[in-house]
Amino acid sequence: MNAPSATTPSVWHTPGHTGRYRERVFAARERLAGEHADLRGAQLRVLADLLEFNADTEFGRRHGFARIRTIDDFRRAVPVRDYAAHAPLIERTAAGERGLLSADTPVVYFTSSGSTGAHKKVPVTPRFMSTTFMPFYFAAWAPLIEHFPEVLDRPDAVLNLKHDPLTVPPTTADGRPHVGASQVDFGARFGEPLSAEPGTGAPWAALAVPTEPGDHLERAYLRLRLAVQSDLRCLIGINPAMIAAVPYQLNLWWPRIVKEVRDGTLGGFPYGTPDPGRAAELERLADYFGTVRPAHVWPRLRALFCWTTGVASLYLPALREEFGTGVTALPAPVAASEGPVGVALDRHPSAGGLVASASMYEFVPADQDLAPDSATLLPHELEAGQEYHVVFSHVGGLYRYAVGDVIRVVDRVGGAPRVEYAGRGGRIDAAGERLRDAQVVRALRIALDSGGLALRNVACRIEPAADGTPHHLFAIAPRTPWRGTETDRFTRALDRALTAESDGYAKARAAGRLGAPAVRLLDAEAFVRDWHEAVGSGVRPTQVKDRLFRQDDDLWRRLTGTGTPGGG
């Protein structure tokens, strides 16, 4: 390996860039908010555009796009489809054929692990970027930079954990990069120089130290080692599991970090000027507090930017305190690699407005199973407080695409539903209980609140009880130790809450087809250790997400191997 070289200055160092960036972000927010006044009209325009633009593609001809005039026509012509149904045409496109799903040529393919762990190829075309992606992408940053303007005062004010550019990205057969959205330079690929996110101009954004392509933990260490010498005001994680790992990483790597700060090295290479003063300050923190918290290292941190719902909603309140008592958690968009759904236009802690001009949206009540002929609802037909599967269609070449996520409608603002992510659309179902992520998360919250308890993370699987009856086993890392009596009360409260959440669960319990839930308490760091092991195996950190339902035997043993059985 060679010694580090100087990094290329980013656009954030260009005079006037910050002002231009603010203007672009706020203009995008105003545009999206304005579209809510005519939600139905915006949706009809999206449909007309994608039909006209892609009418002469193989998919468009096969489904008669040229003859479609209304949303009902579109529903009759195209079945509800998942990735597997789109995959044959996507794979042919990635092999070099054109005009199959979109009249545009993909520039890159976003990768996504999906619910099965298989890597998808999501075609990303210039028309998709300009019509669907960029307006939502810019608007997503508006609440952060409006209410915490200091995050743009210096390039090193933000630690962007998801930003991980690759020098030599993997490619598909047609030579296009197949990478995560966080690994794409939108300025170079799509002519969008203002698209560089906050934190991408920091010294750690483009590491000067060579690392192996799959060594994600070493890159995380190098960025953290550099960041301890900066006055951070914000962490961007999107995936909250990445932010949850930071307190653990600080203590795991603390001696190495302090030594390199003192010596002026980065990954063992000479880098910058030795800083014995900062090293001594860091050592005093460790001596005084014992366990070093992010709040000690960055006392003026103001904001976290990540998903705030789902399993994360159970542990974010305690996690936020690790970063400081006044720190705000702002919600990342409701979106997938395949396209956006909602984006926060204000400081709501979890929900955002529907991105009306990005896709044509349809919804199916979450308690119904999705099928090709599922009856769907349109945005203006949604009810506050209800949960729905998301189906969208956009000009990039995904049609009536069931993304696999469930959203909850929080309320309506400016004529459009405001939605939050509620969980994956799959179910855990051993005896007809048909439990979804959102139902289990709500039941867990009720059970925790009933005993004044808190946790660091949780996972669930189905196991047979002693008599062979299946039951749900919850692996929980408590925030502080739980006594045996507390665990017993929590387990009974959880059973009652699950019964109230799901008729199927109530009936299965009453009929004896399903046993009472059980709890296995793990140590406080079990989930972050498990996250580190997954990342250490070569999986990108953005892809190692909280998974409530974990039925894989090997992964369950990896998580719970150091746990205390039975909740005692």
Side-chain angles (χ1 to χ4, degrees):
M1 298 200 306
N2 299 319
S5 59
T7 57
T8 303
S10 80
V11 295
W12 284 102
H13 298 86
T14 305
H17 175 81
T18 297
R20 293 190 296 272
Y21 181 76
R22 291 179 191 275
E23 291 176 5
R24 182 71 178 272
V25 164
F26 293 143
R29 178 178 63 179
E30 293 309 307
R31 170 187 161 181
L32 295 189
E35 291 168 353
H36 292 165
D38 182 20
L39 179 61
R40 295 195 206 186
Q43 289 285 275
L44 289 173
R45 288 189 290 273
V46 170
L47 178 60
D49 180 57
L50 72 87
L51 291 171
E52 179 182 5
F53 188 75
N54 293 324
D56 199 35
T57 61
E58 181 173 317
F59 190 96
R61 293 191 299 272
R62 186 187 303 168
H63 293 87
F65 277 14
R67 299 186 299 275
I68 294 174
R69 296 292 180 269
T70 67
I71 290 177
D72 285 338
D73 291 343
F74 187 61
R75 286 162 156 166
R76 285 188 290 267
V78 180
V80 174
R81 305 158 61 85
D82 59 10
Y83 180 82
H86 282 81
L89 291 181
I90 290 176
E91 291 297 332
R92 285 171 56 192
T93 300
E97 291 189 60
R98 296 293 174 253
L100 303 179
L101 284 164
S102 171
D104 229 350
T105 299
V107 175
V108 301
Y109 294 82
F110 286 164
T111 184
S112 171
S113 64
S115 58
T116 64
H119 287 289
K120 302 176 184 177
K121 297 184 184 75
V122 180
V124 182
T125 67
R127 185 63 176 271
F128 165 82
M129 290 299 288
S130 63
T131 302
T132 298
F133 188 86
M134 278 300 168
F136 125 85
Y137 177 74
F138 279 112
W141 303 108
L144 175 64
I145 69 171
E146 179 177 40
H147 300 292
F148 303 96
E150 64 268 37
V151 302
L152 298 186
D153 286 348
R154 295 172 288 102
D156 67 340
V158 176
L159 176 56
N160 192 324
L161 298 170
K162 77 181 187 70
H163 179 66
D164 190 25
L166 293 176
T167 304
V168 183
T171 59
T172 54
D174 62 351
R176 277 25 179 209
H178 180 207
V179 292
S182 59
Q183 297 177 302
V184 177
D185 183 341
F186 297 131
R189 295 284 176 184
F190 297 97
E192 287 280 358
L194 287 173
S195 62
E197 297 177 2
T200 57
W204 49 81
L207 291 169
V209 174
T211 58
E212 296 298 325
D215 198 350
H216 304 298
L217 288 180
E218 179 65 7
R219 286 200 290 279
Y221 161 77
L222 295 170
R223 293 188 175 107
L224 202 57
R225 174 261 177 269
L226 292 172
V228 300
Q229 291 183 271
S230 290
D231 180 18
L232 291 188
R233 303 305 177 90
C234 174
L235 266 72
I236 294 172
I238 308 299
N239 172 5
M242 299 173 70
I243 291 179
V246 170
Y248 174 78
Q249 290 170 335
L250 276 174
N251 286 277
L252 177 68
W253 296 326
W254 191 252
R256 185 183 176 193
I257 288 173
V258 174
K259 183 179 187 302
E260 292 219 287
V261 170
R262 178 186 297 109
D263 296 345
T265 60
L266 181 65
F269 293 107
Y271 183 90
T273 303
D275 193 350
R278 178 58 170 163
E281 183 181 4
L282 294 174
E283 285 182 322
R284 284 194 296 271
L285 289 174
D287 290 341
Y288 185 81
F289 291 106
T291 298
V292 179
R293 302 169 63 209
H296 304 147
V297 181
W298 304 296
R300 291 193 284 187
L301 196 75
R302 297 287 308 282
L304 307 175
F305 188 84
C306 63
W307 295 317
T308 61
T309 58
V311 174
S313 67
L314 301 175
Y315 65 72
L316 263 179
L319 176 64
R320 193 171 58 240
E321 292 182 8
E322 293 286 322
F323 293 87
T325 54
V327 170
T328 297
L330 291 170
V334 183
S337 299
E338 297 90 333
V341 179
V343 62
L345 303 177
D346 53 29
R347 280 198 277 190
H348 192 282
S350 64
L354 201 69
V355 190
S357 59
S359 300
M360 193 199 86
Y361 297 100
E362 301 173 72
F363 302 88
V364 176
D367 286 332
Q368 297 180 15
D369 292 328
L370 282 174
D373 61 350
S374 288
T376 61
L377 300 169
L378 300 178
H380 66 274
E381 298 174 303
L382 303 186
E383 297 181 22
Q386 299 301 307
E387 295 174 351
Y388 303 91
H389 298 284
V390 180
V391 176
F392 58 61
S393 306
H394 60 60
V395 73
L398 297 181
Y399 306 108
R400 305 202 75 203
Y401 182 84
V403 71
D405 290 337
V406 169
I407 56 94
R408 178 182 301 109
V409 178
V410 173
D411 54 19
R412 302 185 76 87
V413 175
R418 188 156 55 170
V419 302
E420 66 182 19
Y421 174 75
R424 296 294 295 167
R427 304 177 190 275
I428 189 168
D429 192 7
E433 69 273 31
R434 293 170 56 83
L435 285 171
R436 293 183 286 106
D437 275 20
Q439 294 173 309
V440 178
V441 168
R442 279 195 295 272
L444 284 164
R445 184 178 296 111
I446 290 168
L448 289 167
D449 290 347
S450 72
L453 301 174
L455 53 73
R456 292 177 181 263
N457 215 322
V458 57
C460 174
R461 73 181 258 127
I462 296 168
E463 285 195 351
D467 63 358
T469 304
H471 73 296
H472 299 97
L473 175 62
F474 289 83
I476 294 176
R479 183 187 177 196
T480 56
W482 295 4
R483 298 193 309 273
T485 53
E486 290 178 317
T487 305
D488 291 341
R489 285 197 297 269
F490 168 85
T491 306
R492 292 193 295 271
L494 179 60
D495 192 24
R496 292 192 297 271
L498 290 169
T499 298
E501 277 290 335
S502 167
D503 289 341
Y505 182 93
K507 291 174 181 176
R509 289 284 288 121
R513 300 192 308 272
L514 187 69
V519 169
R520 175 176 294 171
L521 293 183
L522 310 181
D523 68 275
E525 295 180 338
F527 281 86
V528 288
R529 281 199 311 272
D530 182 71
W531 187 89
H532 259 240
E533 190 163 345
V535 173
S537 72
V539 184
R540 288 178 56 233
T542 54
Q543 298 294 333
V544 186
K545 303 170 185 175
D546 294 319
R547 294 295 187 196
L548 181 59
F549 300 147
R550 304 194 189 190
Q551 206 58 32
D552 182 282
D553 291 338
D554 290 337
L555 296 183
W556 185 261
R557 281 192 292 268
R558 186 181 75 187
L559 171 66
T560 63
T562 58
T564 303

